[in-house]
Amino acid sequence: MSAPRNARRTSAALAMAAIVALALTACTGGGDEGTNSDGGQGFPDDGCTHIAVATSSEKVNMLDELAKAFKDSPEHEGLETCATVRPTNVSSGNATRFLTSGEDWPTDDQSLWPTLWSPASTVWTDRVAAAASPSLVGEPRSFTRTPVVFGMPEPMANALGWPNTPISITDLEALCQDPAGWGSVGKDIWGAFKISKTNPNTSTTGLSTILMQSYEATGKLEGLTSADVEASADFSRVFEECVIHYGDTTGNVLSTLYDETQNGSNGSAYVSAVALEETSLLNYNQGNPDSHTVQPGETLTPPKTKLVAVYPEGGSMWSDNPITVLGADWVTAEQRAAGEAFAEFVQTTAAQNILPDYGFRPLDESAPLGDLFTAKYGVDPAQPAVTLPKPEVDVISTAIDQWTQVRKPSSVLELIDISGSMDDPIGDGRSRLDGAIEGAQSTLNHFRSTDEIGVWAFTTGISSDEGEGIQVLRDVSALGADGEKLDSSLDDLRYAQRNGTPLYDSILLAYEAMSERAEPGRINAIVVLSDGEDTDSSTSLDSLIAKIGKSTKEGGDDAPVRIFPIAYGEGADTSALQRIAEVTGGQLFDASDAERIDLVFASVINNF
């Protein structure tokens, strides 16, 4: 195995490091690092050749089971030495960006550098082959598949005529455009029609959905071109207007929907339809909304309201889930041989029979699908009726570039804790405040000039026109050409006075300010970074929750303000921040490992 080269601190490496660090923790179900008894977390000291598989999250459970079965297979028996296979969770888009960067895999544990790569779609292997080298991705070969669908709470799908009436993307866009929203089909109480989609730069589902939108706009069933994508811009722009927010994975949105459903709101105030893979919908309906690795003895509780799969009338793209041995210089001859054996094994009948138990369809359409693929779990094994083919690489690049222009505009207020504890070191030569500043600065290039961004800092002993405890670095307004100026203003935080933590008062002031200016056509959000508990607010947590949660009842607000807290360091009050996120339909991000703050910041900003 080659020694690590000096890694450059590029945005691709940062993004990958964030995903790998977060994903490896997720694969253990929150277990301790260094354990080797669960999927995706280290290897046992067994004397075997160790094979790491970089894979998208929804396949981790399945690949764990396939790895166990591989041990007893003829393919394994044919190896000169035994082999142990473990999956590690890395999003397809982030793996693509890292592999094209030419750097080593971003983890110090070289045993986790992948021999095999299994993204959700050959879209990603094609992009690496085109942008880097065909030899790097070897010979990708699909071994399972799952269609991209729209998951809808069953009562909402019924209101549109499901399952008897076909539903198209055009039908969903019409609901987006109609000022009456759900009222146009007699369901005024449900309010506006809301869609959840993922960021196509990191997510296969997000990428497939924007391509399906272009197919729908052109009326084509094959042969999509870059010109077709460009001509579909207005159609896609309207569709994006219904998006509540973006994100790295559908699991985050499904977890929020699941929590709201279990708490009695049926999720109608949060989202109406989620673009996702059929396998993710099956996981959700079993009570595993984030598709995490199910631990021995763990009991899953199905949601009170299941999602049903709407297979668009105009057709679906499929995630064809290839697996390939990487041509990276860190892959040894022994690992290559074992990786090729495992890649052959997953094509066998024995392996293909395992797939349906994990919500994936075998390549052999005549193979039995089992009990999951039924109406009980919201799916129709006879669908989709129309398959939309994967376009050429240049068409896919055009679609991603177009999305950056037509995506829903955002209005984001970053609220940064500058209390005294932010001076504490985080172990890499920086203070917590240094990490927060650099994290915020590194995300500025994500925003377009028309996106609105503001930055407030909070601690005791300061004041501004916005209230006590608040210092305004930048009012919320269109970024324009102010990126460098804002970068410099963030640097000024290093010299600010740092006292107490009026967390709840500051969030309330920020929420009230953003609510007054929120617009239906934007993603209106507050990103809160705090490293401790509230110590100086006159507002209690319960009072804050009551005030910021008033728009989350059924039907919701046309311009909700969602809060995305970052729990920074081990002292952050995660339980309070979780409540604040949930009541506004936002999401809590964990930066308890303070060294990862700039990486977590990037993941948060992917929502906008």
Side-chain angles (χ1 to χ4, degrees):
M1 188 174 294
S2 62
R5 297 184 297 271
N6 290 329
R8 299 182 302 275
R9 197 176 176 90
T10 64
S11 58
L14 290 175
M16 272 302 301
I19 295 300
V20 171
L22 292 170
L24 289 179
T25 301
C27 286
T28 69
D32 295 333
E33 295 218 12
T35 59
N36 53 35
S37 61
D38 49 72
Q41 186 68 19
F43 286 90
D45 185 13
D46 57 3
C48 296
T49 301
H50 292 163
I51 306 299
V53 187
T55 188
S56 42
S57 61
E58 66 280 354
K59 292 204 295 287
V60 169
N61 288 326
M62 179 177 68
L63 282 168
D64 264 334
E65 189 64 28
L66 289 170
K68 294 174 185 175
F70 174 59
K71 286 281 193 180
D72 298 322
S73 70
E75 289 75 17
H76 185 267
E77 290 297 321
L79 294 172
E80 291 185 5
T81 61
C82 61
T84 300
V85 178
R86 288 285 169 90
T88 60
N89 176 358
V90 186
S91 77
S92 302
N94 279 292
T96 296
R97 286 205 298 275
F98 183 74
L99 287 170
T100 57
S101 76
E103 297 179 4
D104 285 320
W105 205 251
T107 175
D108 292 335
D109 185 352
Q110 293 188 39
S111 71
L112 296 177
W113 294 12
T115 296
L116 291 162
W117 182 30
S118 181
S121 172
T122 48
V123 163
W124 303 108
T125 53
D126 288 350
R127 285 176 66 81
V128 173
S133 167
S135 63
L136 181 57
V137 293
E139 299 179 1
R141 185 179 174 193
S142 297
F143 73 97
T144 187
R145 61 193 192 128
T146 184
V148 175
V149 303
F150 286 90
M152 297 185 68
E154 188 170 21
M156 290 185 162
N158 288 337
L160 299 182
W162 180 92
N164 300 318
T165 302
I167 300 171
S168 67
I169 291 178
T170 298
D171 294 330
L172 301 184
E173 189 197 41
L175 276 172
C176 287
Q177 279 188 301
D178 197 321
W182 279 108
S184 64
V185 293
K187 299 292 184 180
D188 304 68
I189 195 171
W190 290 344
F193 185 78
K194 307 182 185 80
I195 292 174
S196 170
K197 296 175 59 185
T198 44
N199 188 319
N201 286 297
T202 57
S203 165
T204 303
T205 301
L207 179 54
S208 294
T209 305
I210 61 172
L211 292 169
M212 288 162 63
Q213 291 166 206
S214 292
Y215 271 117
E216 181 77 4
T218 61
K220 284 189 169 183
L221 300 180
E222 60 182 1
L224 193 70
T225 66
S226 291
D228 292 330
V229 172
E230 292 167 355
S232 305
D234 289 340
F235 181 93
S236 289
R237 184 176 288 106
V238 171
F239 198 74
E240 300 295 319
E241 288 176 358
C242 280
V243 172
I244 54 173
H245 59 81
Y246 300 100
D248 289 325
T249 68
T250 55
N252 295 331
V253 171
L254 292 176
S255 293
T256 300
L257 177 63
Y258 178 86
D259 290 341
E260 294 204 4
T261 297
Q262 299 307 86
N263 291 331
S265 68
N266 288 325
S268 61
Y270 179 56
V271 69
S272 310
V274 182
L276 76 174
E277 292 174 337
E278 182 185 67
T279 185
S280 296
L281 182 142
L282 287 168
N283 284 337
Y284 178 89
N285 286 336
Q286 293 176 83
N288 187 5
D290 59 355
S291 298
H292 67 269
T293 300
V294 179
Q295 300 299 308
E298 180 180 356
T299 300
L300 300 178
T301 303
K304 293 179 181 177
T305 302
K306 72 180 179 185
L307 293 179
V308 297
V310 172
Y311 303 86
E313 184 179 17
S316 288
M317 293 190 67
W318 289 76
S319 296
D320 56 358
N321 293 282
I323 191 165
T324 187
V325 178
L326 290 173
D329 58 7
W330 61 72
V331 177
T332 67
E334 292 81 5
Q335 287 175 320
R336 174 171 297 280
E340 289 172 348
F342 184 75
E344 285 298 319
F345 167 70
V346 298
Q347 303 286 342
T348 65
T349 299
Q352 292 284 303
N353 287 339
I354 291 172
L355 308 182
D357 291 339
Y358 292 88
F360 283 88
R361 300 196 190 197
L363 294 182
D364 183 357
E365 294 184 12
S366 66
L369 290 177
D371 297 335
L372 272 184
F373 290 84
T374 62
K376 175 183 177 182
Y377 292 103
V379 303
D380 182 351
Q383 293 285 347
V386 177
T387 292
L388 299 174
K390 178 185 66 177
E392 297 296 326
V393 173
D394 66 303
V395 179
I396 293 168
S397 296
T398 300
I400 291 177
D401 291 343
Q402 183 191 80
W403 177 81
T404 64
Q405 301 303 315
V406 304
R407 65 173 173 81
K408 191 171 184 176
S410 57
S411 181
V412 180
L413 173 58
E414 296 181 359
L415 182 64
I416 300 175
D417 182 348
I418 57 169
S419 59
S421 56
M422 291 290 281
D423 285 329
D424 292 349
I426 59 177
D428 59 0
R430 297 182 295 168
S431 70
R432 288 180 177 178
L433 186 59
D434 289 334
I437 290 170
E438 292 167 17
Q441 288 171 329
S442 69
T443 61
L444 291 179
N445 61 2
H446 167 88
F447 295 99
R448 298 170 299 192
S449 60
T450 53
D451 288 326
E452 296 178 349
I453 184 169
V455 180
W456 293 4
F458 70 93
T459 190
T460 55
I462 60 175
S463 64
S464 67
D465 290 343
E466 297 296 343
E468 291 294 321
I470 296 293
Q471 180 63 54
V472 178
L473 277 72
R474 188 178 197 276
D475 289 317
V476 180
S477 58
L479 181 59
D482 289 348
E484 289 188 11
K485 182 178 179 181
L486 180 53
D487 188 285
S488 178
S489 295
L490 285 163
D491 272 330
D492 290 342
L493 286 177
R494 290 186 170 92
Y495 312 106
Q497 60 176 301
R498 295 192 272 287
N499 301 305
T501 311
L503 177 62
Y504 303 153
D505 284 351
S506 300
I507 291 176
L508 182 58
L509 288 171
Y511 184 84
E512 291 173 343
M514 285 296 289
S515 295
E516 287 179 4
R517 66 183 322 282
E519 300 175 357
R522 290 185 180 272
I523 298 172
N524 303 288
I526 302 169
V527 177
V528 181
L529 183 145
S530 179
D531 73 336
E533 297 182 355
D534 184 283
T535 57
D536 296 275
S537 289
S538 59
T539 305
S540 68
L541 177 59
D542 287 343
S543 178
L544 174 65
I545 295 297
K547 291 176 180 178
I548 66 177
K550 58 188 177 183
S551 66
T552 60
K553 54 183 177 293
E554 190 161 29
D557 192 332
D558 288 338
V561 176
R562 305 184 193 280
I563 299 179
F564 296 80
I566 299 174
Y568 189 18
E570 295 181 356
D573 189 348
T574 54
S575 61
L577 294 174
Q578 180 68 44
R579 288 185 64 189
I580 290 165
E582 287 180 353
V583 78
T584 63
Q587 179 193 342
L588 174 66
F589 285 78
D590 178 12
S592 54
D593 179 355
E595 292 184 41
R596 294 207 317 263
I597 181 58
D598 43 2
L599 312 177
V600 175
F601 231 116
S603 187
V604 176
I605 299 302
N606 260 344
N607 285 274
F608 317 125

